């Protein structure tokens, strides 16, 4: 357990913040990270859809070449 002097030194540190503030910052970061992941997932879905379209187009072109 910290004595009063040690506690005062810790609280006087440049990077010290109360536990409540730290917890709120962590919660905000988690929410931000979820939003980023969701955006990344949406981008990945869009890329997959585009790739599927390109594959279908290439397949149709290949079949058209075979039919000629």
């Amino acid at each position: 357990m910290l004595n009063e002097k040690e506690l005062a030194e810790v609280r006087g540190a440049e990077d010290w913040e109360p536990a409540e503030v730290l917890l709120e910052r962590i919660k905000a970061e988690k929410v931000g990270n979820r939003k980023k992941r969701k955006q990344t997932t949406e981008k990945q879905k869009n890329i997959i859809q585009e790739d599927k379209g390109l594959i279908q187009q290439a397949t149709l072109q290949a079949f058209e070449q075979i039919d000629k």
Side-chain angles (χ1 to χ4, degrees):
M1 192 129 163
L2 297 176
N3 64 33
E4 290 299 317
K5 182 181 176 186
E6 292 171 326
L7 190 55
E9 287 176 15
V10 169
R11 287 184 176 157
E14 185 177 313
D15 63 346
W16 183 84
E17 61 187 347
E20 296 84 15
V21 174
L22 176 61
L23 289 173
E24 286 302 315
R25 189 166 49 84
I26 291 170
K27 287 177 187 178
E29 287 176 7
K30 279 185 167 184
V31 169
N33 289 339
R34 277 190 217 123
K35 287 180 182 177
K36 284 181 185 176
R37 279 196 305 267
K38 186 174 181 179
Q39 289 172 348
T40 300
T41 302
E42 290 299 318
K43 287 179 186 177
Q44 289 170 339
K45 285 179 184 178
N46 291 337
I47 291 170
I48 290 169
Q49 286 301 106
E50 290 173 10
D51 287 351
K52 284 181 180 179
L54 292 172
I55 291 168
Q56 288 174 344
Q57 187 179 16
T59 303
L60 288 174
Q61 289 174 350
F63 280 122
E64 288 173 358
Q65 293 295 323
I66 293 171
D67 286 341
K68 289 184 180 179

